Amino acid sequence: MTTYKLTVVSAGLSKPSSTRLLADRLAESTVRQLSRHGREVEVTVIELRDLAVEIANNLVTGFPGAALRGAVEAVTEADALIAVTPIFTASYSGLFKSFFDVIDHDALAGKPVLIAATGGTPRHSLALEHAVRPMFAYLRAVVLPTAVYAATDDWGAKGDGLSEDLPRRIDRAAGDLTALLAGRTPAAPAVAVPQQTVPQVVPFAEQLAALRV
């Protein structure tokens, strides 16, 4: 049975945090869906709040501590990554960005990344598209098409801890990641590609011969 290494990065600052809760639910859905394809998953969760001091020290000295070194290795060796950040001032948190600043720029090349974020209001949901997605695109990661944003109302709109829509969005994003890891391409609208005619190349010598009288 195929076993994948899935690393989950949560940049929540409180404990417990909605950021960690969203990260856990995304991981759980991915594990559940991969199991249906006969795949096992080894999940490693990284809480950045526990690494804040080591991240700051590394930025200043260039030398990671043991815990930070282990977290970087977990990200580098993972088959896929789930990265969740709280949104502060319409962008990712400084701790989230600083962690990925200390990782080698080639470490995420070609690695599937599911991005998600939490915030107080739905108005900040576009931060995933104008801040988080471009950062991972710069690192040449394969950013999954479906991102998940959870506002405060998503956790308690119905009084049962979750809105009706959030579980559906979580499962859809996890489904994208599952499809990619299981060796299938996530569903996309079919696009008709017109056939192109390859022009015939006439050697220059023949062109000269045709000009002779």
Side-chain angles (χ1 to χ4, degrees), residues 12 37 43 50 52 55 74 76 81 91-92 102 107 114 121 128 138 152 161:
H37 294 276
V43 180
D50 299 330
I55 291 172
T76 302
L81 185 68
S91 188
Y92 39 62
V102 304
L114 193 168
T121 170
L128 278 166
Y138 174 80
T152 300

Side-chain angles (χ1 to χ4, degrees), residues 36-111:
R36 297 171 186 164
H37 294 276
R39 271 71 168 179
E40 292 184 344
V41 186
E42 177 185 322
V43 180
T44 300
V45 179
I46 299 171
E47 281 273 18
L48 295 187
R49 67 184 300 276
D50 299 330
L51 299 172
V53 174
E54 289 197 23
I55 291 172
N57 287 337
N58 185 70
L59 289 173
V60 174
T61 66
F63 296 99
L68 178 58
R69 190 181 306 112
V72 171
E73 290 176 357
V75 169
T76 302
E77 296 173 2
D79 295 301
L81 185 68
I82 295 176
V84 190
T85 178
I87 298 301
F88 296 145
T89 319
S91 188
Y92 39 62
S93 72
L95 181 60
F96 185 81
K97 178 63 164 60
S98 295
F99 175 69
F100 288 100
D101 281 343
V102 304
I103 295 177
D104 186 271
H105 284 183
D106 295 324
L108 298 184
K111 194 183 301 295

Side-chain angles (χ1 to χ4, degrees), residues 5-212:
K5 291 183 178 180
L6 175 65
T7 296
V8 181
V9 178
S10 171
L13 298 181
S14 60
K15 195 171 184 177
S17 72
S18 59
T19 301
R20 174 62 188 271
L21 181 59
L22 179 58
D24 286 344
R25 289 189 177 271
L26 286 166
E28 290 166 4
S29 182
T30 302
V31 171
R32 183 173 62 254
Q33 294 187 51
L34 279 171
S35 68
R36 297 171 186 164
H37 294 276
R39 271 71 168 179
E40 292 184 344
V41 186
E42 177 185 322
V43 180
T44 300
V45 179
I46 299 171
E47 281 273 18
L48 295 187
R49 67 184 300 276
D50 299 330
L51 299 172
V53 174
E54 289 197 23
I55 291 172
N57 287 337
N58 185 70
L59 289 173
V60 174
T61 66
F63 296 99
L68 178 58
R69 190 181 306 112
V72 171
E73 290 176 357
V75 169
T76 302
E77 296 173 2
D79 295 301
L81 185 68
I82 295 176
V84 190
T85 178
I87 298 301
F88 296 145
T89 319
S91 188
Y92 39 62
S93 72
L95 181 60
F96 185 81
K97 178 63 164 60
S98 295
F99 175 69
F100 288 100
D101 281 343
V102 304
I103 295 177
D104 186 271
H105 284 183
D106 295 324
L108 298 184
K111 194 183 301 295
V113 179
L114 193 168
I115 59 174
T118 58
T121 170
R123 291 181 301 169
H124 296 304
S125 60
L126 286 178
L128 278 166
E129 303 303 325
H130 72 67
V132 183
R133 188 180 297 276
M135 183 189 79
F136 285 108
Y138 174 80
L139 296 172
R140 293 179 292 134
V142 179
V143 189
L144 275 297
T146 303
V148 180
Y149 179 85
T152 300
D153 288 346
D154 285 314
W155 300 110
K158 302 291 290 185
D160 57 1
L162 283 178
S163 67
E164 294 180 353
D165 185 56
L166 182 56
R168 180 187 61 80
R169 289 185 278 124
I170 288 173
D171 286 342
R172 179 180 175 183
D176 283 351
L177 184 55
T178 297
L180 191 59
L181 287 176
R184 298 182 290 110
T185 302
V191 178
V193 179
Q195 295 183 347
Q196 296 181 350
T197 303
V198 179
Q200 183 179 3
V201 179
V202 179
F204 185 62
E206 291 184 16
Q207 296 181 46
L208 289 177
L211 294 175
R212 294 174 183 174

